Amino acid sequence: MIEVQQAARTTNTDITDTLIETMLLNTAKMKPYLTSMLLDRRNHRELEIQYMYKNAIDLAKAHGVSMPKTQALYEQLCFINNQIKSVK
């Protein structure tokens, strides 16, 4: 969330610490559910990582902000995506 906050600032968008805390608290209260990405993986559909991760990473990078944790997650998801593609 901190990386997202820093990246958002490059576009003059303020994600406050309070908003981050609220989102984390609300998430912790949620009942368990299957995310759309997990459903895609289970159904052998490609993951929508370009839109959910890569575009944000590229935008931040273009403004001089690195997102190393998000980048690492993206690379792991690319590995999974390549496995899905190879099964098709």
Side-chain angles (χ1 to χ4, degrees):
M1 291 296 296
I2 299 300
E3 288 182 356
V4 171
Q5 182 186 49
Q6 292 169 345
R9 285 184 185 142
T10 69
T11 63
N12 296 320
T13 303
D14 186 32
I15 298 176
T16 65
D17 292 341
T18 303
L19 177 59
I20 291 173
E21 185 64 27
T22 299
M23 291 175 70
L24 292 174
L25 288 172
N26 288 343
T27 300
K29 294 176 190 174
M30 294 173 71
K31 293 179 182 179
Y33 67 97
L34 301 179
T35 65
S36 63
M37 197 173 295
L38 178 58
L39 291 171
D40 286 341
R41 183 176 188 279
R42 286 185 176 178
N43 289 293
H44 309 287
R45 294 187 298 255
E46 289 187 42
L47 310 179
E48 296 178 333
I49 55 178
Q50 177 72 34
Y51 307 104
M52 297 178 72
Y53 294 93
K54 186 67 169 135
N55 289 349
I57 292 167
D58 290 345
L59 178 64
K61 184 177 181 179
H63 288 89
V65 175
S66 66
M67 300 178 77
K69 292 178 182 177
T70 306
Q71 179 71 38
L73 176 58
Y74 171 73
E75 290 170 11
Q76 292 169 347
L77 291 169
C78 283
F79 180 81
I80 291 169
N81 225 18
N82 287 334
Q83 288 179 322
I84 293 168
K85 290 178 189 179
S86 70
V87 172
K88 287 184 172 184

